[in-house]
Amino acid sequence: MLTIRQATLNDLDAITEIYNDAILKTVATFDTEPKTLEEQKSWFASHGPKYPILVAEQDGTIVGWASLSMWSDRCAYSDTAEISLYVEETHRGKGIGKKLLEAILQEGKKAGLHTVIARITAGNDISIRLAQSAGFEHIGVMKEVGRKFGKLLDVHLLQKIYD
Ligand SMILES: CC(C)(COP(=O)(O)OP(=O)(O)OC[C@H]1O[C@@H](n2cnc3c(N)ncnc32)[C@H](O)[C@@H]1OP(=O)(O)O)[C@@H](O)C(=O)NCCC(=O)NCCS
């Protein structure tokens, strides 16, 4: 059975493991070095009721996570967040990402956010389609802003504005 719930500090090891795997194997994130638990603790601490983190738990194992992070520390941006969404490799393609996405967007709405931005690397068509199915609109492309695994990469910007 799959449960989606608020993340706690006890989940941080599993969240970090899923994220570090994506850092090392994918261009979904432009981080290039695995995160330490210390770095992750400060990431966790920068979240809370307004900027939530959710985990997907299946039979006691964390199989994915999603977060809404502060877009900028300049105060006028405080109702804008950036989404992150990661599912453990062997659990992808089973509907978990979609459920996490719907749940984190609901949390953002409850928290009073006005808009959510997604930065999605060119070629990650699954994520682009998934975001669009949840109401994100394509608002632009940042050309050649990242370099990973020896390749220059574009980033698509998508945005959802809450009604
Ligand atoms: C992107 C990601 C979060 C999606 O999570 P997921 O659990 O694999 O996705 P789901 O099973 O919920 O599928 C979501 C949609 O994508 C489609 N999809 C998923 N995997 C697919 C695949 N390999 N090929 C084609 N379509 C696929 C599903 O059919 C579904 O579409 P539908 O709603 O029209 O049926 C996950 O693949 C992941 O963690 N990828 C690596 C990290 C990443 O790219 N994160 C996003 C950064 S912006």
Side-chain angles (χ1 to χ4, degrees):
M1 202 181 90
L2 188 79
T3 307
I4 295 194
R5 60 166 175 79
Q6 298 283 345
T8 72
L9 261 182
N10 289 335
D11 302 315
L12 202 53
D13 277 336
I15 290 171
T16 304
E17 203 169 311
I18 292 168
Y19 188 54
N20 282 345
D21 189 61
I23 291 174
L24 293 173
K25 294 182 184 162
T26 78
V27 293
T29 164
F30 281 1
D31 275 316
T32 57
E33 298 298 323
K35 293 287 181 188
T36 64
L37 206 50
E38 281 316 301
E39 288 170 319
Q40 286 292 90
K41 278 184 187 160
S42 93
W43 169 81
F44 190 89
S46 69
H47 292 74
K50 179 120 193 197
Y51 302 107
I53 307 172
L54 297 181
V55 289
E57 182 172 4
Q58 193 163 53
D59 305 323
T61 302
I62 302 303
V63 293
W65 62 271
S67 64
L68 294 176
S69 302
M70 191 185 285
W71 173 254
S72 166
D73 60 7
R74 293 181 187 155
C75 292
Y77 282 118
S78 65
D79 288 344
T80 299
E82 177 171 21
I83 189 165
S84 300
L85 178 65
Y86 291 86
V87 172
E88 193 277 327
E89 195 175 10
T90 63
H91 290 85
R92 290 181 197 153
K94 297 174 180 169
I96 296 169
K98 193 170 184 129
K99 287 194 183 116
L100 267 171
L101 175 60
E102 284 164 2
I104 198 79
L105 288 174
Q106 272 175 23
E107 288 301 306
K109 187 167 190 168
K110 271 197 260 167
L113 291 171
H114 177 64
T115 181
V116 179
I117 306 284
R119 284 187 283 182
I120 305 180
T121 309
N124 193 347
D125 297 339
I126 293 172
S127 289
I128 292 174
R129 277 200 300 273
L130 181 57
Q132 286 172 328
S133 76
F136 281 79
E137 283 181 33
H138 193 271
I139 55 168
V141 181
M142 298 193 292
K143 294 276 187 190
E144 301 184 5
V145 286
R147 193 190 297 275
K148 196 166 177 185
F149 305 136
K151 272 194 174 166
L152 270 176
L153 298 161
D154 296 347
V155 171
H156 292 263
L157 284 174
L158 287 88
Q159 179 177 21
K160 180 178 174 78
I161 297 180
Y162 287 112
D163 301 328

